[in-house]
Amino acid sequence: MSSTTPRVSTTYRPTLRGKDRTRTARRLRAKYDAGASIRALVEDEGLSYGTTRKLLMEAGATMRGRGGARETGQQEPAAGR
């Protein structure tokens, strides 16, 4: 017994090649170096997370650590301890 499920329409972006790929990678790197997150770039460009990360690496971007900004210094102990 075979069940037929309607296929959800998906729009695929054409593969980036050549000069378009290089230009896109440079543009992404400039935004990333200026402080944009990969997630923000994904939203702006309409690319997948993996493609965006791969293009950043191809453009020579230094990848930041996960989790955003971290506080420096020691936290004060909780009151009553």
Side-chain angles (χ1 to χ4, degrees):
M1 176 194 292
S2 135
S3 166
T4 55
T5 306
R7 186 174 190 136
V8 177
S9 174
T10 306
T11 303
Y12 292 98
R13 183 177 177 139
T15 303
L16 286 169
R17 293 189 177 135
K19 291 181 182 179
D20 287 338
R21 186 177 185 91
T22 303
R23 276 189 227 113
T24 301
R26 287 180 184 158
R27 183 174 63 246
L28 289 171
R29 181 177 177 184
K31 290 179 181 181
Y32 186 76
D33 287 347
S37 68
I38 295 178
R39 297 270 180 216
L41 296 173
V42 165
E43 289 288 322
D44 289 349
E45 298 288 330
L47 298 169
S48 72
Y49 185 94
T51 299
T52 301
R53 186 176 185 283
K54 187 183 299 185
L55 288 169
L56 286 169
M57 293 180 76
E58 287 175 14
T62 301
M63 306 308 285
R64 297 189 293 263
R66 294 177 53 166
R70 305 250 185 233
E71 289 186 32
T72 57
Q74 298 206 353
Q75 293 180 331
E76 295 182 26
R81 286 193 169 187

